[in-house]
Amino acid sequence: MQDFLASHWLDFLTTVLGLIYIWLEYRASIALWIVGVIMPALDIILYWSHGLYGDAGLAAYYTLAAFYGYMVWKFGKKRGQTDKQQLPITHFPLRLVVPVLAFFLAAWGLTYYVLITWTNSTVPVLDSFTNALSIVGLWTLARKYLEQWLFWMVVDLISCVLYVQKGIPFKALLYGLYVVIAVMGWFRWKKMMNNEQNIEQTTTAL
């Protein structure tokens, strides 16, 4: 048991941080971005050591993007948002579907090319797919769009399978749990969004 923990301590530590992160995300707490800096920084080491080079690169992106997410949640504005109102949860704008889809496909293709050209990745298609979709998911989270949970449901399910194959058991369990929490998060954020809209309508009427 000690040998197992000794060889998987980083996997275990980042899993604990991941649980804290998803709980904060579920509650729509801005503190999630603080954990969002620490956890992926450690994930870079974990993923690289297991040959998940795409995930290692994505973890580096996560670390930097967490700073962006914090700034947007703290100081960002959306159309119709009042000066004293926190960044509200809203639907993903339809006008962004085409450009975001184009970006996703380009990111998927580019990441796949990098993996097959400069790494010995054994899962380049799925690794690049989850990387590209995660970039989109993190951006939609930073913008506080409800639909970000849909992206994470797909990413988490595929990642769970990949981590089982790559021998990262704690991370695999974490992402399996992420799938469940993503479904719960969708309904919680939807309820929070409706409550925010009702409060705004009531305030406007007064």
Side-chain angles (χ1 to χ4, degrees):
M1 184 63 178
Q2 289 182 341
D3 291 339
F4 178 81
L5 292 177
S7 61
H8 291 84
W9 69 270
L10 188 56
D11 179 17
F12 180 75
L13 175 59
T14 54
T15 297
V16 172
L17 291 174
L19 289 172
I20 297 173
Y21 177 90
I22 195 68
W23 178 73
L24 292 171
E25 182 181 355
Y26 175 77
R27 295 178 59 83
S29 170
I30 195 172
L32 75 91
W33 297 112
I34 298 175
V35 181
V37 172
I38 301 172
M39 180 181 66
L42 296 174
D43 278 338
I44 296 174
I45 303 171
L46 175 66
Y47 293 144
W48 191 271
S49 66
H50 284 79
L52 291 169
Y53 305 113
D55 280 354
L58 184 62
Y61 163 76
Y62 277 173
T63 304
L64 298 175
F67 290 101
Y68 168 77
Y70 178 84
M71 296 300 291
V72 172
W73 278 38
K74 185 71 174 180
F75 305 108
K77 296 290 183 182
K78 288 184 178 180
R79 185 177 302 174
Q81 180 181 347
T82 62
D83 292 336
K84 296 183 179 180
Q85 183 184 14
Q86 293 182 346
L87 188 72
I89 298 171
T90 57
H91 281 296
F92 185 86
L94 292 178
R95 59 184 171 79
L96 295 179
V97 171
V98 173
V100 169
L101 178 60
F103 173 83
F104 163 71
L105 293 175
W108 186 7
L110 178 60
T111 306
Y112 175 77
Y113 175 77
V114 169
L115 290 178
I116 64 173
T117 304
W118 288 293
T119 78
N120 60 350
S121 174
T122 58
V123 286
V125 174
L126 290 181
D127 200 4
S128 57
F129 176 85
T130 56
N131 271 255
L133 193 58
S134 293
I135 293 174
V136 174
L138 188 60
W139 178 76
T140 54
L141 169 60
R143 296 302 303 167
K144 234 175 182 181
Y145 293 136
L146 172 65
E147 286 73 16
Q148 61 102 4
W149 289 111
L150 299 179
F151 297 124
W152 293 125
M153 289 177 198
V154 177
V155 169
D156 296 340
L157 182 60
I158 295 176
S159 295
C160 178
V161 175
L162 283 178
Y163 296 149
V164 169
Q165 295 177 346
K166 287 295 183 176
I168 312 179
F170 290 116
K171 212 68 168 182
L173 288 173
L174 175 65
Y175 275 77
L177 179 60
Y178 273 4
V179 176
V180 177
I181 295 178
V183 175
M184 296 170 58
W186 163 272
F187 289 106
R188 179 177 173 84
W189 273 41
K190 187 175 183 180
K191 182 179 180 180
M192 292 172 67
M193 181 182 69
N194 291 335
N195 289 339
E196 289 174 352
Q197 291 176 347
N198 290 336
I199 292 174
E200 180 64 22
Q201 291 173 357
T202 301
T203 303
T204 303
L206 294 176

